[in-house]
């Protein structure tokens, strides 16, 4: 152990001495010394710049092609087509500028390496160039921002009236799913009503909640609009459905929303990928605590007829647990009993 520490100390001492020597050399240059400082290191460093440009550029292209399928997931919603188009347009614009500027950066470092008889050109300003490289990026960025804003406004704005509503509530560390039943109207909720029996805080004095029912996983129909109503019970979570290109934070005290139209059933996606175990999924993309990794739900996309059959088979909260409405006022209790006793 002591031998290692001594070796590190000696290495640091040598580096300090070398740095002092370099600083003295730079000071002598600044003072106008006639000492010749040009060495082969200029040519070596210039060549290394080009080696790095070609090597790193080739590696970037190879890796991007090799891993393309891992970061370009197949699309499962109509909204996803719009999102991907915006993404690739943005990548094309910014990628072109990124590559061009880095080629110039490394080429200039090579081409304009230090040479004893070479003098830098004095080029103080050019108003035309200043206008061009200010206006062009401004216009391009404005187009990109406005396109993104329009797409965002479409999916976070009011959903179509016939949209199927699904409530997704996040808590440490799981998702709770609630459907509105045949009336497609979710009952109200209040966090102060949260109990072990009523984990979602549903307000059963709201008649719309009488036919609400839970689900272990999200089931939605293909080709029809779906509205996710999103909320959180404790801390910040985030609903992420990558194949739907859907991501929306679940914020305590501030409900959020996101509507979309699925365009491939789970069975169709399995056939497309050749993977019989494929599932659409919802994951949490906020580090919400030690059990963050467990926040996962599957999404099953089915044909509309199959979806309606599944809806008809579900059991409302109050039917599976009548105690939830036992303390309701008499008039509401009578209506709740009708739902409970329905065959």
């Amino acid at each position: 152990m002591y031998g290692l520490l001594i070796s590190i100390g000696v290495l640091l001492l040598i580096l300090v001495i070398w740095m002092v020597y370099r600083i003295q050399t730079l000071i002598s240059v600044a003072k106008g010394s006639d000492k010749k400082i040009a060495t082969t290191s200029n040519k070596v460093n210039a060549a290394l710049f080009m080696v790095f440009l070609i090597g790193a550029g080739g590696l970037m292209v190879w890796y991007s092609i090799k891993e393309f399928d891992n970061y370009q997931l197949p699309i499962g919603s109509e909204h996803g087509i719009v999102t991907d188009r915006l993404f690739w347009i943005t990548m094309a614009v910014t990628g072109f500028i990124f590559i061009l500027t880095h080629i110039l950066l490394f080429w200039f470092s090579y081409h304009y390496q230090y040479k004893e008889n070479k003098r830098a050109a004095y080029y103080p300003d050019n108003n035309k160039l200043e206008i061009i490289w200010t206006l062009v990026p401004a216009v391009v960025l404005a187009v990109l921002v406005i396109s993104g804003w329009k797409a965002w406004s479409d999916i976070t704005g009011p959903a179509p009236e016939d949209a199927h509503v699904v409530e997704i509530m996040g808590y440490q560390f799981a998702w709770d799913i609630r459907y509105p039943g045949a009336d497609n109207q979710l009952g109200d909720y209040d966090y102060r009503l949260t109990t072990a029996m009523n984990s979602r805080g549903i307000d059963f004095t709201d008649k719309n909640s009488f036919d609400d029912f839970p689900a272990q996983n999200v089931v939605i129909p293909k080709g029809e609009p779906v509205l996710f109503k999103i909320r959180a019970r404790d801390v910040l979570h985030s609903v992420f459905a990558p194949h739907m290109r859907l991501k929306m934070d679940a914020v305590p005290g501030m409900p959020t929303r996101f509507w979309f139209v699925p365009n491939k059933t789970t069975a169709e996606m399995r056939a497309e990928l050749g993977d019989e175990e494929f599932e659409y999924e919802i994951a949490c993309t906020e580090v919400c605590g030690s059990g963050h990794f467990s926040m996962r739900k599957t999404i099953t996309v089915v044909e509309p007829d199959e979806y309606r059959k599944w809806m008809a088979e579900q059991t409302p909260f109050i039917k599976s647990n009548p105690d939830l409405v036992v303390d309701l006022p008499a008039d509401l209790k009578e209506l709740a009993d009708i739902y409970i006793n329905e065959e």
Side-chain angles (χ1 to χ4, degrees):
M1 182 65 179
Y2 287 111
L4 176 62
L5 293 175
I6 292 171
S7 299
I8 294 174
V10 170
L11 178 60
L12 291 175
L13 179 61
I14 293 171
L15 289 174
V16 169
I17 294 172
W18 181 77
M19 288 299 297
V20 169
Y21 168 75
R22 293 294 297 170
I23 291 171
Q24 288 177 338
T25 302
L26 291 173
I27 291 173
S28 66
V29 172
K31 289 181 177 180
S33 170
D34 291 333
K35 181 180 178 182
K36 302 294 184 182
I37 61 166
T39 66
T40 55
S41 64
N42 285 293
K43 292 181 179 180
V44 171
N45 288 332
L48 288 175
F49 269 105
M50 296 307 295
V51 170
F52 183 83
L53 171 64
I54 296 169
L59 182 62
M60 180 189 73
V61 172
W62 168 78
Y63 187 80
S64 298
I65 295 172
K66 176 179 178 295
E67 297 296 327
F68 182 80
D69 290 339
N70 289 330
Y71 61 79
Q72 176 62 19
L73 298 178
I75 302 172
S77 71
E78 293 180 5
H79 153 73
I81 297 172
V82 177
T83 301
D84 272 24
R85 183 169 63 246
L86 286 172
F87 172 79
W88 286 113
I89 290 173
T90 303
M91 282 292 292
V93 172
T94 58
F96 171 76
I97 299 300
F98 174 84
I99 293 171
L100 176 62
T101 53
H102 279 74
I103 289 175
L104 293 175
L105 173 66
F106 285 94
W107 168 251
F108 281 12
S109 299
Y110 172 79
H111 184 69
Y112 295 106
Q113 62 184 277
Y114 173 78
K115 292 178 182 177
E116 187 174 354
N117 297 321
K118 194 169 187 178
R119 294 293 179 266
Y122 181 65
Y123 196 72
D125 65 86
N126 185 312
N127 291 336
K128 186 180 292 186
L129 279 178
E130 293 283 353
I131 292 172
I132 291 173
W133 66 44
T134 300
L135 286 181
V136 172
V139 171
V140 172
L141 288 175
V143 171
L144 292 177
V145 169
I146 291 171
S147 300
W149 168 79
K150 184 179 183 305
W152 179 254
S153 298
D154 289 344
I155 57 180
T156 56
E161 291 185 3
D162 60 344
H164 302 279
V165 180
V166 183
E167 181 188 68
I168 302 176
M169 185 190 75
Y171 65 94
Q172 293 175 313
F173 295 99
W175 301 107
D176 270 350
I177 311 300
R178 177 166 65 127
Y179 281 81
D183 61 1
N184 205 34
Q185 296 289 324
L186 283 171
D188 202 0
Y189 64 88
D190 189 328
Y191 73 92
R192 293 170 294 186
L193 299 175
T194 303
T195 62
M197 186 167 55
N198 184 10
S199 63
R200 297 166 177 81
I202 301 171
D203 183 0
F204 287 101
T205 63
D206 181 358
K207 292 182 289 186
N208 287 328
S209 65
F210 288 171
D211 61 348
D212 291 359
F213 63 86
Q216 290 300 310
N217 292 297
V218 178
V219 179
I220 51 178
K222 171 191 172 182
E224 298 182 1
V226 176
L227 171 63
F228 279 179
K229 291 190 172 182
I230 300 166
R231 62 187 177 103
R233 193 174 71 188
D234 39 36
V235 300
L236 189 68
H237 303 280
S238 187
V239 174
F240 179 50
H243 295 86
M244 305 299 175
R245 304 302 192 264
L246 184 163
K247 185 180 184 299
M248 180 63 72
D249 284 351
V251 185
M254 190 181 79
T256 53
R257 53 193 288 131
F258 193 117
W259 76 271
F260 63 102
V261 179
N263 62 2
K264 292 176 187 173
T265 66
T266 300
E268 288 171 339
M269 188 63 83
R270 287 174 176 174
E272 179 181 324
L273 298 176
D275 180 4
E276 288 302 316
E277 297 183 356
F278 169 83
E279 296 283 0
Y280 293 113
E281 70 169 348
I282 292 176
C284 179
T285 50
E286 292 289 345
V287 181
C288 53
S290 59
H292 161 73
F293 66 92
S294 65
M295 293 192 65
R296 183 178 183 272
K297 284 286 186 185
T298 60
I299 301 176
T300 303
V301 182
V302 297
E303 295 292 347
D305 291 344
E306 186 178 349
Y307 172 76
R308 287 168 177 76
K309 180 176 181 294
W310 175 83
M311 286 279 290
E313 295 171 348
Q314 303 310 302
T315 304
F317 287 102
I318 62 173
K319 194 166 187 177
S320 57
N321 190 355
D323 289 343
L324 289 168
V325 293
V326 70
D327 295 326
L328 288 181
D331 56 334
L332 290 175
K333 182 67 167 62
E334 183 177 355
L335 181 59
D337 287 341
I338 295 174
Y339 279 90
I340 293 171
N341 295 319
E342 265 185 350
E343 292 296 334

